[in-house]
Amino acid sequence: MARPRKPLLSRERIVSTALALIDSEGLPALSTRRLAAELGVSGPSLYNHFTTKDEILDAVADTVIAQVDVSGFETGADWRAGLLAWARSYRAALAAHPQIVPFLAQGPGRRPAGLKMADAAFGGMVEAGWPPAQATRVCAMVRYFVAGSALGSFARGFVDDPSAYDPADYPHLGQAHLLAEHQRQVDEGAFETGLRALVDGLALQFPARPAKG
């Protein structure tokens, strides 16, 4: 009887396995040796598809960013709706893979999906009438806000032990032990509150000028 064939090694398989490893154990767990072991191949086999570990990380990061929907910046769309849709989709993609966020925070580099996202957001804002310099700052601000939201959890930072919040010391934290139980509701609510405030504030402070026809 013939032996079962091993699944063919491909860039897609390497990237998906690397992402799964990072998701479960964090960025420090990823090494070419560990990745090769997870794939059931020898280390040198990886170099037929990627030349360095950083190149693998770039591909993993780009796979995550490729999930972000930037269609809200289509020509003629309202910039507020575009920002809201982009930020929500961006956060959803990062929140699904928080362990890769520190690497993503370094910027798009030469990653195609990252550059396409940046191009769509910046281009959409400029198309809506924002001066390029201000459009750059707005896109950067949204990126900072989204990355911070996806990386940390406010609710998870509080222990669920009521005795940790002695009213003599913390008179306003009597319900703090309940936050962790409602983590998703608290964190998503905080993100939405901040995002709305951000967009509303932009509309007041930096009103977009009509695009030149």
Side-chain angles (χ1 to χ4, degrees):
M1 180 180 294
R3 292 182 179 178
R5 295 182 61 186
K6 292 183 178 179
L8 292 175
L9 195 60
S10 65
R11 285 179 66 92
E12 293 74 18
R13 185 168 169 241
I14 292 171
V15 169
S16 63
T17 302
L19 180 56
L21 181 58
I22 293 170
D23 283 345
S24 62
E25 300 184 34
L27 277 168
L30 183 68
S31 67
T32 52
R33 179 179 296 181
R34 175 68 187 280
L35 182 56
E38 292 288 324
L39 290 161
V41 300
S42 62
S45 300
L46 300 177
Y47 297 113
N48 293 325
H49 301 275
F50 295 96
T51 56
T52 65
K53 173 186 167 182
D54 281 345
E55 191 176 319
I56 296 173
L57 277 170
D58 274 335
V60 170
D62 224 32
T63 294
V64 173
I65 292 301
Q67 301 169 21
V68 179
D69 181 9
V70 291
S71 63
F73 289 111
E74 292 175 354
T75 302
D78 177 70
W79 68 265
R80 297 168 187 81
L83 276 184
L84 289 170
W86 172 44
R88 288 167 181 153
S89 179
Y90 195 1
R91 181 182 184 273
L94 299 194
H97 307 283
Q99 301 280 16
I100 194 68
V101 173
F103 184 79
L104 279 168
Q106 298 173 18
R110 296 177 181 270
R111 299 190 290 271
L115 291 172
K116 286 180 180 178
M117 181 181 76
D119 181 74
F122 174 77
M125 296 299 285
V126 172
E127 176 73 21
W130 284 76
Q134 289 186 349
T136 298
R137 297 184 193 112
V138 170
C139 292
M141 180 172 57
V142 171
R143 179 169 162 262
Y144 302 153
F145 178 65
V146 169
S149 174
L151 186 60
S153 166
F154 175 82
R156 198 169 57 237
F158 291 85
V159 299
D160 60 2
D161 179 5
S163 67
Y165 310 102
D166 188 329
D169 296 320
Y170 315 108
H172 305 295
L173 297 182
Q175 301 296 309
H177 64 285
L178 301 176
L179 288 173
E181 182 181 344
H182 303 284
Q183 177 186 328
R184 182 172 179 177
Q185 179 182 356
V186 171
D187 291 342
E188 291 185 356
F191 174 75
E192 279 296 319
T193 299
L195 179 60
R196 286 286 182 178
L198 185 154
V199 173
D200 289 347
L202 286 173
L204 292 172
Q205 297 178 40
F206 305 107
R209 296 197 297 267
K212 294 180 180 180

